[in-house]
Amino acid sequence: MSSRAATSAPAADDKIAALKKVLYDECFESFEDNPTFFQEDLFELKVLPNDDVAMLLAVTQGLTNDKLFKVVQDSQRGIGWKLRTQEEAKNYRSLSSEQEIVYALIDEAGQEGIWTKTIKARSNLHDAVFRTALKHLETKHLISEMKSVEARNRKMYIKSSLQPSDRATGGAWYTDNELDEEFITQISHILFDHIHRKSFYKSSLASLRRPKKVMGKKMSSEEAKALRDKTLGSRVKIEDVTEDDAIDGARRHYDALLPMPPGYQGYPTLNELTSFIENSGATAMTLTAQDIQQLLDILIFDNKIERVLAGPEGVCYRAVRKGFREEQEGGPFSALTDVPCGHCPVVDLCEEGGPVGPSTCEYFQTWLNI
């Protein structure tokens, strides 16, 4: 071999190494949000000289060997690559071939996790080798066991850096992989009560006995609490009220509330209801709009509320107006008809940061625990 040939090989290797770094950095910047890319995508980056296919293959193969690229197959576009972070590539490089096979299958499963039986079938590894690989990955904290509400009796694994999806955990309405019916009922009651109060107005001709609201008057926190306590603190205990009295009071309350007029635009929206629950102090958990939407769908199915087109967001929610007897199916002492907000004289001042607020109201908190 001539001296010129001997020196050209290291030079070519240095060139490929330099192109690998430049191409990876460009890919990371360009494809971070869409980490799958193909040959034409790489040429568009203008990193490889003269769209040299041979050079492209050499550079991508080098990045694949370094575990920074992962080869993928697309039925329409052919061979492509997916990008890995430097940290993730380092994890892959630290594994044996058997461990890499197992880890790659768990990696591909993402937030859904994967059943051990599925891993074993796809990896085609001997049982002892398979279990050793799993143990090694767990010891290095690369994978973790997970539970899925859809497969309670299956042993599942997920990458340690990922959180299980809502589909796997059941979302906000599951606690320890069990449906939290009490929590669902509690938040549903609060939502329905808020929507109900926004769906009707009190007739000025009604003879309903109710403390006069404080409107447009500035009050200190102490004054507001004193007025609230004077009214709510002296309310007759529910066990001392006869059934006839309770029904009569409920009837007057029902007759006093009239539906909002046609064209009314003030019905609550999904975003408003989500913010209301977040600020209510009813739960320390952050419930997303998607979580609230699930409860609204249940209330719609139960014919308690309905969707209406109103307001700038388009879709709002209002309570369904039912007959008095149907309204009383829960009994005259139901939690919703006894909500303290309906009797509070300072309800119009009630807001987080105001003189009184739901998160600090002892009467509201007591009602939540009914």
Side-chain angles (χ1 to χ4, degrees):
M1 180 182 294
S2 66
S3 59
R4 178 178 297 179
T7 57
S8 63
D13 291 342
D14 290 343
K15 183 177 181 180
I16 290 176
L19 286 174
K20 279 167 50 180
K21 183 179 186 311
V22 175
L23 184 63
Y24 177 79
D25 291 342
E26 286 291 330
C27 288
F28 198 85
E29 183 176 340
S30 302
F31 305 126
E32 186 176 5
D33 296 331
N34 183 24
T36 302
F37 42 89
F38 299 87
Q39 176 177 308
E40 56 269 29
D41 300 321
L42 295 179
F43 281 138
E44 287 179 3
L45 297 176
K46 303 300 181 183
V47 172
L48 300 169
N50 304 318
D51 291 346
D52 189 332
V53 175
M55 182 63 72
L56 172 68
L57 293 177
V59 172
T60 54
Q61 185 60 52
L63 289 167
T64 302
N65 293 341
D66 293 340
K67 309 301 180 184
L68 292 167
F69 277 11
K70 174 192 172 184
V71 177
V72 295
Q73 184 73 35
D74 185 89
S75 58
Q76 295 182 340
R77 302 185 67 182
I79 294 177
W81 298 269
K82 291 190 73 171
L83 197 64
R84 289 194 182 116
T85 64
Q86 292 281 0
E87 182 180 359
E88 188 64 13
K90 183 179 179 181
N91 290 335
Y92 270 94
R93 289 196 296 268
S94 69
L95 303 176
S96 67
S97 57
E98 293 84 4
Q99 294 162 1
E100 181 180 345
I101 292 172
V102 174
Y103 184 61
L105 289 170
I106 298 173
D107 188 3
E108 289 174 5
Q111 292 180 292
E112 300 300 325
I114 186 170
W115 186 20
T116 51
K117 189 173 181 179
T118 303
I119 304 173
K120 186 178 179 182
R122 292 181 181 177
S123 65
N124 200 29
L125 294 173
H126 186 275
D127 186 65
V129 176
F130 170 67
R131 294 186 182 279
T132 301
L134 277 179
K135 185 176 181 180
H136 177 81
L137 294 171
E138 282 191 276
T139 302
K140 293 193 67 174
H141 305 293
L142 294 178
I143 63 172
S144 304
E145 278 195 57
M146 64 167 279
K147 297 291 185 181
S148 173
V149 296
E150 295 183 336
R152 298 177 185 275
N153 298 322
R154 293 183 176 182
K155 190 173 185 179
M156 310 276 290
Y157 278 96
I158 189 173
K159 281 178 63 178
S160 295
S161 59
L162 298 178
Q163 290 291 331
S165 67
D166 285 346
R167 178 182 173 185
T169 63
W173 311 120
Y174 279 75
T175 302
D176 297 329
N177 294 307
E178 295 291 337
L179 186 65
D180 195 337
E181 296 183 9
E182 183 178 349
F183 182 49
I184 292 173
T185 300
Q186 177 191 18
I187 303 300
S188 296
H189 279 181
I190 297 172
L191 278 173
F192 176 73
D193 179 66
H194 183 71
I195 296 171
H196 191 276
R197 286 189 282 115
K198 293 277 189 175
S199 301
F200 304 96
Y201 70 96
K202 179 188 171 187
S203 170
S204 59
L205 301 178
S207 59
L208 180 65
R209 295 178 182 176
R210 182 174 176 180
K212 187 177 180 180
K213 290 184 180 180
V214 178
M215 300 291 290
K217 180 182 177 182
K218 291 185 178 180
M219 301 181 70
S220 67
S221 177
E222 291 74 17
E223 290 174 328
K225 289 179 180 178
L227 183 57
R228 178 197 64 185
D229 295 343
K230 181 179 179 181
T231 301
L232 298 182
S234 61
R235 289 176 64 194
V236 179
K237 292 182 179 180
I238 196 168
E239 59 266 24
D240 295 335
V241 181
T242 66
E243 184 173 348
D244 289 341
D245 288 340
I247 293 176
D248 181 61
R251 180 77 212 196
R252 287 186 285 112
H253 184 80
Y254 175 84
D255 291 339
L257 295 179
L258 301 179
M260 293 297 183
Y264 178 68
Q265 300 291 305
Y267 297 115
T269 64
L270 174 60
N271 288 334
E272 179 186 337
L273 292 168
T274 303
S275 298
F276 171 73
I277 292 297
E278 182 178 355
N279 296 325
S280 69
T283 175
M285 180 185 299
T286 299
L287 297 176
T288 65
Q290 183 179 359
D291 297 328
I292 300 301
Q293 184 65 67
Q294 291 175 340
L295 295 188
L296 294 175
D297 290 341
I298 294 174
L299 291 172
I300 291 172
F301 181 80
D302 291 340
N303 197 33
K304 292 183 177 181
I305 65 172
E306 60 186 355
R307 291 187 182 92
V308 291
L309 297 178
E313 293 186 29
V315 177
C316 301
Y317 298 87
R318 70 181 176 194
V320 174
R321 177 73 166 180
K322 299 180 180 180
F324 175 70
R325 289 189 177 182
E326 193 176 1
E327 287 270 6
Q328 295 305 304
E329 283 182 352
F333 302 128
S334 68
L336 290 178
T337 57
D338 197 49
V339 59
C341 308
H343 305 268
C344 183
V346 290
V347 67
D348 295 298
L349 303 177
C350 184
E351 61 180 352
E352 295 300 332
V356 289
S359 63
T360 57
C361 179
E362 58 186 281
Y363 303 99
F364 187 61
Q365 297 302 321
T366 300
W367 175 75
L368 288 179
N369 293 325
I370 291 177

